[in-house]
Amino acid sequence: MTPIFNALARHAEDRPDARAFRDGARSVSWAELAEAIARAAAGFAAGPRRVGLRLTGLNYVIGDLAATLAGCSVVPVPGFFSAGQIAHLLRDSGATLVDRLPRMSRSQPLAYSGGAERVIYTSGTTGRPKGVVLGDRQLTASAFGLAQVIGAGPEDRYLSVLPQAQLLEQICGIFLPILAGAETIICPPDATGLFTGDGRKLARMATLFRPTATVLAPRQLTLWVAALRGGVRAPDGLRYVAVGGAPVSPSLIAEARTLGLPVGEGYGLSEACSVVAMTPADAQGGSAMVPVEGVDLRIDDGEIVVGGPTVMSGYLDGTPHSGAWRTGDLGRIEEGRLVVMGRRDAMILRASGRNIAPEWVEAAALADPAVPAAALVLLSDDRLVLVLAATAAPDMGALVARLVQLPPYARPEALVMADPRHAGLIRASGTADRQVARQIASAAGALMPVPTPGVAA
């Protein structure tokens, strides 16, 4: 993190009046940001050593950097965590909840002494968060690696649309822009599309602020593309849109690029400090992921193994970790490019002996803006069923067109329309629970056969 604080001090000295971050009507210059962080750091230095940050917008930026500068252990509190998960996070980490910035009349110099860490809690598939411990080595290596892939520079303008408690957004929306000297616009939560199911506000924000780069969740890409179909134009000057967190339908990426969104994919995990492979900004296609500089990727018995300086030092209060990390994800490397196939523990084995990664089938459904969550399940009679947690009627013609691009053995034989409000179907993180989906499909009466292409549903 030392290079990040050095860059901040340099910008405050060389470009004091240039705008650094914008949050709605509020904005700060590099000099103002440096001063706000220095004052808040003095307050954090006088407080608890481990802080659970429940802040948003510009306050999160200041709080994260100030607590780090003060040598605190930072524990970001995800906004989508349930009350029980937050209680577990605070109890497990021993962190003190901080929901407002400390106010001090004195300042702490922007001289980072090193050694601060952050604990990232991931909800996983069980809903019980685990704390991933990351320090200066991992964070600095990740920020520099991503800056090289994206080609970030002071002329860039970054649109921050992911929750700031997500590690990916801390790196891409705070650390990397500071390294590059780029301006960051923080999108208000009601305009990100993550919680509204409507991408028009996100599209309008992009048109208004004309960013050069942004990072999206797959759901946000789906909604933005839907807004572009409706006549909203992609902003001029947008040169890179990264999307990650789950597989994305190839047809959705192709359409996005046709509509003016230069989309590239990314793959990563918290245990390796977020992104470890990414489509280069100058790539012509949207899916040619290559390892980030300094990251060692290899395949061992079909499983993706990550090595290098970004790998975590261990889980909080667990056995310290060193060396490479087995991700639990299946993949292959073709001509230096990473192809991710899905989670090993999620693979579906059919009676024919064929393995199916449900994530890629589900991605075909999630490309529809009416489907915020989907799950592919295998019933006891060896039938593949795609359960759609739909808020409205999906475009069945477009869905079938995407499904037929899959290998025949991976295509679902039937569909089930499920109420998104069904208890337990959609986790707090926004993904579908496949066990609950299988119960819904098993209890359904007559299943809806997947329509034949060219035949009306």
Side-chain angles (χ1 to χ4, degrees), residues 262-283:
V263 176
E265 288 192 275
Y267 164 75
L269 61 162
S270 297
E271 288 84 353
C273 203
S274 197
V275 180
V276 298
M278 202 169 184
T279 306
D282 57 358

Side-chain angles (χ1 to χ4, degrees), residues 298-322:
R298 60 185 174 87
I299 307 298
D300 184 5
D301 191 27
E303 183 177 2
I304 301 171
V305 179
V306 181
T310 65
V311 176
M312 70 172 182
S313 57
Y315 291 115
L316 185 65
D317 297 328
T319 303
H321 178 80
S322 62

Side-chain angles (χ1 to χ4, degrees), residues 396-454:
M396 294 303 299
L399 173 58
V400 171
R402 290 189 293 270
L403 291 176
V404 297
Q405 297 177 23
L406 299 167
Y409 65 84
R411 296 174 197 162
E413 286 102 335
L415 303 174
V416 171
M417 307 297 290
D419 187 338
R421 296 167 296 182
H422 185 101
L425 177 57
I426 301 181
R427 301 190 186 98
S429 60
T431 59
D433 187 310
R434 295 191 185 97
Q435 291 185 358
V436 175
R438 189 174 188 276
Q439 294 170 3
I440 293 173
S442 298
L447 300 179
M448 180 193 309
V450 174
T452 302

Side-chain angles (χ1 to χ4, degrees), residues 306-377:
V306 181
T310 65
V311 176
M312 70 172 182
S313 57
Y315 291 115
L316 185 65
D317 297 328
T319 303
H321 178 80
S322 62
W325 179 258
R326 301 188 71 92
T327 65
D329 293 319
L330 298 176
R332 61 182 186 274
I333 295 177
E334 300 175 347
E335 299 180 351
R337 298 180 297 177
L338 176 66
V339 178
V340 182
M341 300 170 63
R343 293 289 300 171
R344 182 187 289 276
D345 56 10
M347 294 295 282
I348 293 174
L349 177 61
R350 302 203 71 176
S352 62
R354 301 303 296 262
N355 286 316
I356 302 165
E359 295 92 340
W360 293 105
V361 182
E362 293 159 359
L366 298 176
D368 192 304
V371 183
L376 182 71
V377 299

